[in-house]
Amino acid sequence: MSTHYIGLKMGSIHTTIYKSGNGIVLKEASLIAMPTNPKNKDIYAVGDEAKMIKDRLPQNVIVYSPIVNSTIQYEDLAIPMLKYFMRKVFPNRTIGQNIKALLCTPIGLTPEEKKSFEITCFKAGISDVALIPDVLCYAVGNGIDIQSEKAHMIVNMGGNVSSIAIIANCSVLQGYNISIGGAMIASAIKKYILENYGVSITSEQAYQIKYEICSLYENYQATINIDGYNPTKNQTESITISSKELYPIIHYYYSKIADVINSVIKSTSTQIINDIAENGIYYYGSLSDITGLDKFMQEKTSFESITTINDQVHILGLGELIKYPQLLHKILKNL
């Protein structure tokens, strides 16, 4: 009986799979298109295909996001979505092949939320699954010595949720989740443009604006031209957006994250604060990819900021844990 080992991340935005011996073999949108008729269980499209066609679907088909705020909201949709991805990774799977998975999950999950991830994995064909906190995955993927007695502070600013934690001795000493991520900022940008320009844009365009022109430098100057839909005039309209006018939105949400970081630091011991002062604060995730983050966070928290702009570092961390089972065992023992 052969056994395959995978690292898996089922995020609100993407699902990513690492396969032992092959590296990252799949990264697709966490989406599934299904008929609105509950009696019809036919799958119309999954993943990136569902994302590409979501604006051109028949009226009786809807694109669903089974993962919301990094937890499974719709188990009955998450299962066929993951089954589809597993078939892409293991197209020639035969009876007797075991698949064991390490699943990267947010910190602070309830027992019910953990169970939902486990059930989804089992029903998608995974024989064994272990849930690993995302902050540990990021640390391992970035080469941080998580076995050290000295504490490290990890901040993962993701698509829907940001995780803030202090880790040491292969465990999470303190950890908090806040519902702030790239999706919330994109929604705020969409709302601003509709209210101030009377033009509706897509979420993809809002993300594009954030990545291309937004900055944490107040006087940063950049502009972007966007074609949106003006519902009043019932026509397409081109508008120019500047980084400066969006700065209050960006400042607000990143300040919220900084406030929680400071609250976590204030609630810990002097020894751990000294460790953080020595090691700095590590920032990961989609929101870390913005001009001026290091300076902004350093001013807000008074600690050195170390930013890693690599959206695959947590998946690579899972790969490292597959390679080094002794380190994995130490983590699992502390969960």
Side-chain angles (χ1 to χ4, degrees):
M1 183 179 289
S2 61
T3 301
H4 298 279
Y5 296 90
I6 66 169
L8 174 63
K9 168 69 176 182
M10 296 180 68
S12 305
I13 309 299
H14 294 103
T15 292
T16 310
I17 299 177
Y18 174 101
K19 185 178 179 182
S20 181
N22 297 92
I24 296 172
V25 292
L26 181 140
K27 182 179 180 181
E28 293 204 25
S30 296
L31 299 171
I32 182 168
M34 300 279 285
T36 54
N37 182 353
K39 294 181 180 180
N40 187 347
K41 300 297 183 181
D42 293 339
I43 297 173
Y44 198 90
V46 180
D48 288 347
E49 183 183 356
K51 181 179 179 180
M52 288 174 61
I53 65 174
K54 69 178 183 178
D55 295 325
R56 304 188 301 277
L57 290 171
Q59 288 186 344
N60 64 333
V61 177
I62 294 178
V63 174
Y64 297 93
S65 299
I67 318 293
V68 179
N69 290 336
S70 297
T71 59
I72 295 175
Q73 293 292 106
Y74 307 102
E75 199 174 286
D76 59 328
L77 297 174
I79 292 166
M81 181 184 76
L82 184 57
K83 273 185 179 180
Y84 173 86
F85 292 145
M86 293 299 292
R87 283 196 297 269
K88 292 189 76 171
V89 175
F90 297 97
N92 301 313
R93 187 181 180 189
T94 59
I95 296 174
Q97 283 186 322
N98 277 339
I99 298 175
K100 295 187 176 183
L102 299 182
L103 178 65
C104 176
T105 58
I107 54 177
L109 293 180
T110 65
E112 293 76 17
E113 289 167 341
K114 292 179 181 179
K115 190 69 174 177
S116 186
F117 272 115
E118 291 170 346
I119 290 172
T120 297
C121 288
F122 294 146
K123 290 189 175 181
I126 296 170
S127 54
D128 183 68
V129 60
L131 277 58
I132 310 295
D134 58 355
V135 290
L136 293 177
C137 297
Y138 276 100
V140 171
N142 199 34
I144 294 172
D145 181 11
I146 66 168
Q147 301 181 78
S148 171
E149 293 183 356
K150 289 200 169 186
H152 291 80
M153 189 166 213
I154 309 295
V155 180
N156 168 32
M157 301 183 290
N160 282 85
V161 173
S162 292
S163 301
I164 298 163
I166 297 172
I167 64 171
N169 296 313
C170 293
S171 65
V172 178
L173 304 182
Q174 289 178 265
Y176 299 88
N177 277 339
I178 55 173
S179 297
I180 294 178
M184 186 176 289
I185 294 178
S187 294
I189 291 173
K190 286 177 64 177
K191 182 181 178 183
Y192 171 85
I193 291 174
L194 183 60
E195 290 179 349
N196 289 272
Y197 291 87
V199 171
S200 175
I201 64 170
T202 65
S203 295
E204 287 76 13
Q205 287 175 307
Y207 276 108
Q208 180 188 359
I209 291 169
K210 178 198 166 295
Y211 286 121
E212 291 193 16
I213 70 167
C214 287
S215 170
L216 283 164
Y217 292 122
E218 185 173 5
N219 295 320
Y220 183 79
Q221 298 286 348
T223 59
I224 186 171
N225 295 322
I226 291 289
D227 291 330
Y229 172 71
N230 188 319
T232 304
K233 299 177 181 178
N234 193 27
Q235 65 183 32
T236 301
E237 188 172 317
S238 182
I239 57 174
T240 300
I241 305 296
S242 72
S243 56
K244 194 169 182 62
E245 63 185 303
L246 296 178
Y247 177 78
I249 295 173
I250 301 302
H251 182 274
Y252 173 80
Y253 286 107
Y254 280 87
S255 293
K256 286 285 188 182
I257 296 172
D259 288 344
V260 177
I261 292 171
N262 285 326
S263 295
V264 173
I265 292 171
K266 287 177 182 177
S267 68
T268 193
S269 68
T270 301
Q271 182 178 352
I272 289 177
I273 292 174
N274 290 337
D275 289 344
I276 297 171
E278 180 180 338
N279 295 322
I281 301 175
Y282 291 80
Y283 295 91
Y284 304 94
S286 59
L287 285 188
S288 66
D289 187 8
I290 187 168
T291 305
L293 177 69
D294 286 351
K295 185 174 185 295
F296 180 86
M297 286 300 185
Q298 196 157 325
E299 289 177 351
K300 288 283 187 180
T301 66
S302 301
F303 291 95
E304 181 185 1
S305 301
I306 303 106
T307 303
T308 300
I309 303 173
N310 180 348
D311 61 357
Q312 298 176 340
V313 68
H314 55 312
I315 307 301
L316 298 176
L318 290 174
E320 289 297 300
L321 293 177
I322 292 171
K323 291 178 188 176
Y324 300 103
Q326 289 182 333
L327 179 59
L328 173 62
H329 177 72
K330 289 181 180 178
I331 292 174
L332 296 177
K333 188 173 68 173
N334 290 323
L335 294 179

